[in-house]
Amino acid sequence: MLQKPRGTRDFLPDEMAQRRTAEATMREAVGRWGYGEVCTPTFEHLELFTMRSGENIKQEMYVFEDKSGRQMTLRPEVTASVSRMYVNEGRSIAKPIRWYYVADCFRYERPQKGRYRQFWQFGVELIGADSAAADAEVIMVADDLLRSVGLDYDLKVGFLAPMKHLLSGVEPSLQRQVMAYLDKRDMDGLKGCLETCGQVDLEDSLTGLVSCRGPAEAFEICGDIPEKERVEGIFRVLDGEEIDYTVNFGIARGLDYYTGMVFEGFAHNLGAENQVLGGGNYRLAQLFGGDDAPSCGFAIGFDRVMVSLGDYPLKKDPVVAVLSQPGLEAAAFGVARTLRAAGIRAEVNLLGRGMGAQLAHAAKAADYACIIGQREAEAGTVTLKDLHSGEQREMKPDEAIVEVKGVGAC
Ligand code: HAM
């Protein structure tokens, strides 16, 4: 038996209905903040990602050569694509630009629970606003989206400048290593790394920074850096709007394009792969040949959100099974069409079985049976049977519509 590719999933209708319902809730929420949906290609030129992140990133991507010998890749994320799109199409649009996307991404990772090779992101990019208010808005949109679907999670907000300031004397490749240890809160690893680069004296201030509970403590450690006002401004807005978050100046983020504010979200009930949100400030437009457009955004890992939510409540519309005696299929199709025109989900029997077998099947899959026998076909009526109560009555199709829609009783 042929299997699906490793790290991918198939979704059955019930799961898709749950995903679509949650997605629709998030779409409504993001729309209320004024963000409009964009769509970019599923595959891009490889360069779009290697330009910023270097050739090593190829190991984590689905890279291929097209028939004309171009180096292409399935998108591992959407921020670079949106920045490219801004450079290609959006420069004349009034700023700030508020865009969002729901898109599948592809990463060649080792699959495990919550980590897939094809997964969906619900993301937002705010382009052309360089202010504490803009940073705070993006964080609040993310929080609103996750709360709108009822997710229980922790929001962590940081800023790279204090950490970068402390590490300004350290060589860039070692800086990255130190930041990665801080990000993982691997204090033993940090110590070893600082020893290697002869910077042991930084240990106290770096560990102090990671455990700061607010910006004031961070500035005591790193001094009055130029970004101080911006950092304080962001937290002022978040506090004013009563956003539930914790400060974390140890966040470094895996992607290497972040420039200022960084933030992450972690679901409470997931295992190792519990990060459901990541984002921050970046400037990619210039790299892709555009003007310098300060940007801020995030992506929600939609699949992890769905795992965390578990059985997402669905509004189930009643299902009507339209059953007919052999030879009366045309009447059944007509009645089903009338029901559908009224917005009711109607399924016609397709297997040509006897009425008893049809009813037994309908009892498992539907809420009502709409039965058409010889008498009903001649009288232009149907017998509507409530499959939960067992009650049934002959009536005109119009009356059946009223019954199924919940006005009156069977
Ligand atoms: P990211 O942190 O790489 O950021 O991904 C965002 C989210 O996607 C993660 O927090 C996680 O929930 C989900 N995710 C990542 N990889 C996987 C995977 N293999 N399986 C399932 N879920 C996964 C970005 O992609 C940035 N583009 C976010 C951003 C937008 N920054 C600024 N604007």
Side-chain angles (χ1 to χ4, degrees), residues 77 79 107 109 116 121 125 253 257-258 275 297-298 301:
E77 55 110 40
T79 308
R107 295 188 190 177
E109 306 202 78
Y116 314 102
Q121 287 190 342
E125 312 294 347
R253 303 275 303 123
Y257 50 61
Y258 295 102
Q275 192 178 325
F298 66 81

Side-chain angles (χ1 to χ4, degrees), residues 54-357:
E55 293 289 313
N56 273 350
I57 188 91
K58 281 189 341 202
Q59 324 227 312
E60 292 154 40
M61 298 200 297
Y62 280 85
V63 176
F64 61 98
E65 193 178 285
D66 75 4
K67 289 194 167 57
S68 302
R70 298 182 195 94
Q71 287 297 302
M72 312 298 289
T73 180
L74 296 182
R75 60 181 170 213
E77 55 110 40
V78 193
T79 308
S81 302
V82 169
S83 297
R84 177 199 50 68
M85 178 178 167
Y86 162 74
V87 172
N88 297 156
E89 331 259 349
R91 276 194 280 185
S92 55
I93 303 174
K95 289 184 207 138
I97 296 176
R98 290 181 168 97
W99 281 342
Y100 86 91
Y101 50 83
V102 188
D104 52 350
C105 301
F106 306 84
R107 295 188 190 177
Y108 201 80
E109 306 202 78
R110 179 178 300 196
Q112 61 187 70
K113 194 164 183 285
R115 197 201 286 174
Y116 314 102
R117 290 186 168 174
Q118 182 196 22
F119 61 97
W120 275 259
Q121 287 190 342
F122 195 117
V124 151
E125 312 294 347
L126 172 60
I127 303 170
D130 197 4
S131 66
D135 299 343
E137 169 170 307
V138 168
I139 298 168
M140 292 190 293
V141 173
D143 186 57
D144 192 18
L145 297 192
L146 292 176
R147 305 258 178 237
S148 73
V149 291
L151 191 86
D152 207 6
Y153 87 108
D154 286 330
L155 174 64
K156 299 188 177 171
V157 184
F159 209 96
L160 295 175
M163 198 197 288
K164 284 198 164 163
H165 180 77
L166 288 178
L167 294 173
S168 55
V170 177
E171 185 211 318
S173 67
L174 285 168
Q175 261 190 35
R176 278 168 165 250
Q177 278 185 34
V178 170
M179 286 169 76
Y181 284 124
L182 282 171
D183 196 60
K184 283 190 260 163
R185 297 217 173 202
D186 177 350
M187 295 312 170
D188 291 338
L190 174 73
K191 197 171 176 184
C193 185
L194 290 173
E195 273 164 13
T196 321
C197 53
Q199 300 276 2
V200 194
D201 48 323
L202 284 179
E203 191 187 345
D204 283 351
S205 32
L206 285 171
T207 41
L209 195 62
V210 174
S211 46
C212 281
R213 273 161 309 173
E217 282 179 42
F219 295 124
E220 261 171 44
I221 295 171
C222 72
D224 280 354
I225 54 173
E227 293 84 354
K228 185 172 182 235
E229 226 172 275
R230 175 77 164 254
V231 178
E232 287 172 344
I234 297 170
F235 292 124
R236 209 168 23 248
V237 178
L238 297 182
D239 292 338
E241 292 297 307
E242 297 185 352
I243 302 298
D244 186 5
Y245 70 95
T246 51
V247 170
N248 187 333
F249 286 102
I251 302 175
R253 303 275 303 123
L255 295 164
D256 47 6
Y257 50 61
Y258 295 102
T259 53
M261 184 275 289
V262 278
F263 68 114
E264 293 177 338
F266 300 88
H268 287 167
N269 60 350
L270 298 181
E273 301 299 325
N274 63 344
Q275 192 178 325
V276 288
L277 161 74
N281 293 124
Y282 62 93
R283 289 169 187 262
L284 285 175
Q286 208 169 26
L287 186 68
F288 302 149
D291 51 359
D292 179 30
S295 310
C296 191
F298 66 81
I300 288 171
F302 187 74
D303 307 86
R304 293 184 186 169
V305 169
M306 292 312 294
V307 175
S308 175
L309 292 177
D311 253 342
Y312 196 71
L314 285 180
K315 192 179 138 286
K316 286 231 168 167
D317 291 328
V319 179
V320 179
V322 183
L323 316 180
S324 58
Q325 274 172 3
L328 297 178
E329 288 80 6
F333 274 117
V335 168
R337 177 164 27 88
T338 307
L339 293 173
R340 290 186 200 117
I344 292 169
R345 187 174 145 185
E347 296 173 10
V348 173
N349 165 55
L350 301 174
L351 294 183
R353 293 179 289 202
M355 194 55 82

Side-chain angles (χ1 to χ4, degrees), residues 369-392:
C370 198
I371 303 160
I372 303 163
Q374 202 60 47
R375 189 185 64 242
E376 288 91 346
E378 278 161 21
T381 58
V382 297
T383 294
L384 186 71
K385 181 177 172 98
D386 182 327
L387 293 168
H388 300 293
S389 69
E391 284 175 54
Q392 66 176 60

